[in-house]
Amino acid sequence: MKKIAELYRGKAKTVYSTEDSNFLILEFRNDTSAFDGQRIEQLERKGAVNNKFNYFIMTKLKDAGIPTQIERLLSDNEVLVKKLDMIPVECVVRNRAAGSLVRRLGVEEGLILIPPTFELFLKNDSLHDPMVNEYHCESFGWATNKQLNRMKELSFSINTILTKMFGNAGLILVDYKLEFGLFNGEVVLGDEFSPDGCRLWEKQTLKKMDKDRFRQGLGGVIEAYEDVAHRIGVPL
Ligand code: ADP
Ligand code: UDP
């Protein structure tokens, strides 16, 4: 399958059409952004690491019965996916408090959340991805009640699968963001699952192994992503 035209250039990936209108090619770039795109840097190898990481995770999820976009890994930086009609809200699951939850509620970073929480954010950089609730999603027509219930159900099933997978590799899955879309009316997992969109801490030391290394200027960003990839068995 070949790229035909560039449809969209996002902060980290470029989306291309293909000969088949049901499929897209996602190209993972080295661009790394934080603070709604206000800070952008190039990190060597990031595109390839995230592409292979995402393919590995989505294949695991697919094998476990989660409907995902994934079709075929095309190259180091490209993957063939189903073209979804994206739902413009991000689903965030949290097993421990970190990031915006800590800032919003003034709780201690690392606080264990039982049960895990589920939050929705509107995908809109100029509004800084505001938090929204299920009523907003329905009233503004972003998602129906049935779709929201399915997104929540899939988000928590994914939590069970991935918490165990990372746990076996000595890592704590602190939180993560998912994006869903519709394919023939079905809610399907899209976009990407990589250390750019989740928080992973080393169990013993609580060392941050994710994009917080970039946000907080801790250094060794890609080295940490590669370490996580090796631990869970992603072929890089
Ligand atoms: P952003 O748009 O936040 O800057 P990216 O750089 O990751 O993010 O761009 C990828 C874009 O492609 C996002 O807008 C995402 O919603 C969209 N997208 C991801 N997967 C799919 C898919 N399977 N079908 C259609 N659009 C997708
Ligand atoms: N996240 C993301 N994209 C966003 C916002 C958040 O991938 O636009 C991820 C983030 O990496 C973290 C989780 O979602 O794993 C929760 O993010 P949070 O709300 O704490 O926001 P942050 O402080 O990371 O901006």
Side-chain angles (χ1 to χ4, degrees), residues 8 10-13 15 24 69 82 84 86 123 179 191:
Y8 176 76
K11 295 187 291 297
K13 301 190 284 301
V15 181
L24 295 174
Q69 65 180 357
K82 290 188 180 70
L84 309 182
M86 295 305 287
K123 241 182 101 72
E179 289 182 31
D191 201 49

Side-chain angles (χ1 to χ4, degrees), residues 16-195:
Y16 295 90
S17 59
T18 67
E19 297 106 317
D20 187 328
S21 61
N22 283 316
F23 300 103
L24 295 174
I25 292 174
L26 301 180
E27 181 191 84
F28 287 66
R29 307 194 313 273
N30 288 340
D31 294 328
T32 312
S33 70
F35 315 116
D36 302 316
Q38 284 176 46
R39 190 170 136 221
I40 299 173
E41 277 175 40
Q42 294 275 315
L43 295 180
E44 226 173 288
R45 306 193 300 284
K46 198 202 70 153
V49 172
N50 278 2
N51 183 36
K52 292 173 194 172
F53 197 107
N54 175 58
Y55 179 77
F56 179 88
I57 296 281
M58 290 222 178
T59 302
K60 287 263 179 235
L61 294 174
K62 193 175 172 180
D63 292 347
I66 305 288
T68 83
Q69 65 180 357
I70 219 74
E71 287 290 322
R72 208 149 34 88
L73 198 61
L74 297 176
S75 71
D76 277 2
N77 293 73
E78 300 161 309
V79 67
L80 183 72
V81 296
K82 290 188 180 70
K83 180 184 176 152
L84 309 182
D85 186 5
M86 295 305 287
I87 295 168
V89 289
E90 301 183 336
C91 297
V92 171
V93 174
R94 299 180 192 268
N95 294 305
R96 289 190 184 228
S100 72
L101 183 71
V102 166
R103 294 194 294 275
R104 204 177 332 120
L105 301 183
V107 293
E108 199 183 331
E109 185 184 64
L111 180 75
I112 297 174
L113 303 170
I114 301 172
T117 64
F118 179 81
E119 296 167 354
L120 296 162
F121 296 88
L122 177 65
K123 241 182 101 72
N124 185 320
D125 281 336
S126 54
L127 295 177
H128 307 294
D129 292 356
M131 193 177 187
V132 294
N133 67 28
E134 298 188 16
Y135 288 88
H136 297 128
C137 293
E138 284 191 66
S139 301
F140 291 106
W142 301 322
T144 64
N145 183 261
K146 197 169 160 214
Q147 288 162 356
L148 286 162
N149 285 337
R150 183 67 175 146
M151 286 155 69
K152 209 186 309 180
E153 180 184 42
L154 291 173
S155 296
F156 283 121
S157 299
I158 290 168
N159 199 32
T160 306
I161 300 162
L162 295 187
T163 297
K164 193 166 161 209
M165 194 197 76
F166 286 116
N168 289 339
L171 298 162
I172 301 168
L173 179 59
V174 171
D175 60 27
Y176 54 91
K177 180 268 298 179
L178 302 172
E179 289 182 31
F180 294 95
L182 303 176
F183 190 77
N184 297 329
E186 189 196 5
V187 175
V188 172
L189 179 65
D191 201 49
E192 119 182 45
F193 191 104
S194 74

Side-chain angles (χ1 to χ4, degrees), residues 2 28 103 115 212 232 236:
K2 282 198 209 72
F28 287 66
R103 294 194 294 275
D212 271 350
I232 61 172
L236 290 183

